[in-house]
Amino acid sequence: QNAEKIKLKHGSHREGKRTDAIMQKWRGNGLGQFIHWGLYAIPGGEWNGKQYNGAAEWIRSWNEMPKPAYDSLIYKFNPVNFNADQWAAIAKDMGARYVTITTKHHDGFCLWPSKYTSYTVANSPWKKDIMKPLVDAYDKAGIDVILYFSIMDWNHPGWRYDIKTRADSIAFEGFKKFTRNQLIELLTMYPKAKGLWFDGTWDKSWIKQAKFADELEAEMRKLRPGLIIGSRFRADEYGKRHFDSNNVLMGDYEQGWERKLPNTIADVHGNDWDCVMTIPENQWGYNKAWKGHIKTSTELIEMTAKAVSLGGNFVLNFGPKGDGSIRDQEKRLALEIGDWMKVNNEAIYNCGYSGLEKQDWGYSTKKTRIDKIYMVVFNIPVSGAYRVKLPAKTAIAKSYLLADQNQVLKVEEVHTNEYFVYANPASQSKPFVIVLETKKKE
Ligand code: FHN
């Protein structure tokens, strides 16, 4: 469409994907881990013997939860079983290549000793910085760290949902300074962090700050060249979020895929994106009583493959307990995913959209810059024949199972550029990968 473009001062500042090495690395990560950890992990979704129905990290907003009682959880924050190296090892074994960690969620509690508020780890019985050992441990494990930061802050006296009066405006100006200070502080204290993952940016008060947020973003990018910031940070001057008033993505990647995945490549408009996913239903922070459907490792692997096949990354959330340990169910799932990744990660890392028509057996990914296609199989055809349609002038040079490269598979061209690959995997209970090495057709 040739719709006339609106002149925007605070819209997107780039069209198309970033091409620098830092972003290419991010794009090729495939699988990530999300960590939601804060004071909410202590009640774990329960207060006075009653179970909160919402997400555990939102318990402060529950009528039954007295705000002073929540806020004084800071005096109970003493995670004696916290071990940053163990967390990083779990992520590494799972195959995660980046991690997003909540430095501060909506409750305003800071996992780093911020100088700008007293509501931090420094004033808890634990006293010590949590972010530093985490950033160091994940970095040592070769996992990139992204800092999650909630703009909405229930603890700050200047926070407003909207700005209606002059008093609101004065209060919010103070809040904006505080927010800027904290962000510069985080980037200065943790220079290894590769990006910021913003949240809590949907309220009117923040949406009205197009100029401030745009300038702050520019300042942060200048301070840390290559910094990755998604589409949740700021709105344009018309209050449009994620995509500006000209429908151009704001930020380096689309951050709208929360607990859902796109279905076709058209859904992602040629942008980078990642999907953040919970293991149970909508629970991010630790909840003692997971309810409803708990995703299996096979489902999570399928989501990972689907995300990569549509050019995105898949980020799986963990909610460590108040004492710093990670629940057994999460550890088990991480191990199961990791077992699969150890054999099949070639189909996930540095892979993206294959350009091939979707087939019923699963999802296809393609290695960047190499003529290799990976067919990640979730539905086994009774016939043993896996249909694949290649672009014109492309042929299959060789096909084999990623788990057993000696098993060369029979390939038959059934129509021009349409093939059957015949496979008989040893185990039919796990997803598996068929590799296609392609070549130019003579
Ligand atoms: O309200 C939060 C929620 O608690 C959680 O942090 C998720 C993660 O993407 N973000 C918000 C909801 O969009």
Side-chain angles (χ1 to χ4, degrees), residues 34 36 55 57-58 102 105-106 148 152 197 199-200 202 232 258 276 282 284-285:
F34 209 154
H36 272 73
E57 72 283 2
W58 275 78
T102 49
H105 202 260
H106 309 331
Y148 168 109
M152 174 164 75
W197 203 100
D199 207 0
W202 47 77
R232 276 197 202 193
E258 177 170 319
V276 291
N282 190 19
W284 300 86

Side-chain angles (χ1 to χ4, degrees), residues 391-408:
K393 300 211 172 74
T394 315
I396 297 175
K398 194 179 169 193
S399 178
Y400 49 89
L401 294 179
L402 191 52
D404 178 5
Q405 313 213 357
N406 295 325
Q407 251 201 69
V408 175

Side-chain angles (χ1 to χ4, degrees), residues 405-420:
Q405 313 213 357
N406 295 325
Q407 251 201 69
V408 175
L409 304 178
K410 190 183 136 200
V411 172
E412 182 189 3
E413 188 166 10
V414 287
H415 296 292
T416 314
N417 302 315
E418 187 171 337
Y419 298 83
F420 275 169

Side-chain angles (χ1 to χ4, degrees), residues 37-39 74 77 82 101-124 126-135 147-153 177-190 196 198:
W37 201 41
L39 297 181
I74 183 174
F77 187 79
F82 170 63
I101 308 172
T102 49
T103 61
K104 170 177 104 167
H105 202 260
H106 309 331
D107 62 1
F109 179 69
C110 303
L111 286 184
W112 83 102
S114 174
K115 319 195 266 238
Y116 301 102
T117 169
S118 56
Y119 203 46
T120 81
V121 275
N123 296 311
S124 72
W126 182 252
K127 292 194 177 71
K128 289 163 285 193
D129 188 358
I130 290 285
M131 287 314 298
K132 171 99 172 76
L134 280 177
V135 172
L147 307 175
Y148 168 109
F149 184 91
S150 170
I151 295 288
M152 174 164 75
D153 184 325
K177 275 205 192 94
F178 162 75
T179 300
R180 177 195 166 270
N181 284 340
Q182 284 209 318
L183 287 169
I184 303 296
E185 183 180 50
L186 279 173
L187 292 178
T188 312
M189 285 178 75
Y190 310 107
L196 290 163
F198 286 101

Side-chain angles (χ1 to χ4, degrees), residues 39 183 190 202 224 241 248 266 277 287 326 340-341 352:
L39 297 181
L183 287 169
Y190 310 107
W202 47 77
R224 183 91 342 104
R241 299 177 65 232
V248 184
M277 186 58 72
N287 189 319
I326 294 192
W340 188 87
M341 285 291 284

Side-chain angles (χ1 to χ4, degrees), residues 248-400:
V248 184
L249 182 74
M250 317 242 300
D252 301 321
Y253 67 99
E254 196 198 336
Q255 243 182 316
W257 298 101
E258 177 170 319
R259 296 198 307 115
K260 62 178 182 202
L261 282 160
N263 271 321
T264 68
I265 196 72
D267 296 338
V268 300
H269 310 287
N271 291 311
D272 283 315
W273 60 276
D274 72 3
C275 162
V276 291
M277 186 58 72
T278 50
I279 296 170
E281 289 304 307
N282 190 19
Q283 295 290 340
W284 300 86
Y286 174 67
N287 189 319
K288 286 181 195 162
W290 272 357
K291 278 193 246 137
H293 175 65
I294 311 298
K295 294 174 193 72
T296 64
S297 53
T298 303
E299 270 178 273
L300 295 165
I301 293 165
E302 180 160 358
M303 288 175 178
T304 307
K306 183 173 182 182
V308 172
S309 80
L310 295 173
N313 290 324
F314 186 73
V315 182
L316 185 61
N317 183 68
F318 287 65
K321 296 184 193 172
D323 69 357
S325 63
I326 294 192
R327 74 195 304 152
D328 288 344
Q329 288 137 300
E330 288 180 345
K331 283 200 267 194
R332 205 172 319 118
L333 282 171
L335 278 178
E336 287 172 18
I337 295 170
D339 283 348
W340 188 87
M341 285 291 284
K342 278 178 194 91
V343 179
N344 298 294
N345 68 39
E346 204 186 302
I348 300 296
Y349 297 152
N350 298 316
C351 287
Y353 177 56
S354 70
L356 303 189
E357 190 179 284
K358 168 88 179 71
Q359 302 295 338
D360 292 340
W361 41 255
Y363 302 99
S364 62
T365 67
K366 186 183 178 310
K367 190 66 84 197
T368 333
R369 289 189 292 269
I370 301 181
D371 291 335
K372 265 191 189 175
I373 284 169
Y374 302 91
M375 301 163 56
V376 192
V377 176
F378 294 91
N379 307 305
I380 298 177
V382 174
S383 62
Y386 295 75
R387 186 185 303 275
V388 57
K389 291 185 189 172
L390 293 185
K393 300 211 172 74
T394 315
I396 297 175
K398 194 179 169 193
S399 178
Y400 49 89

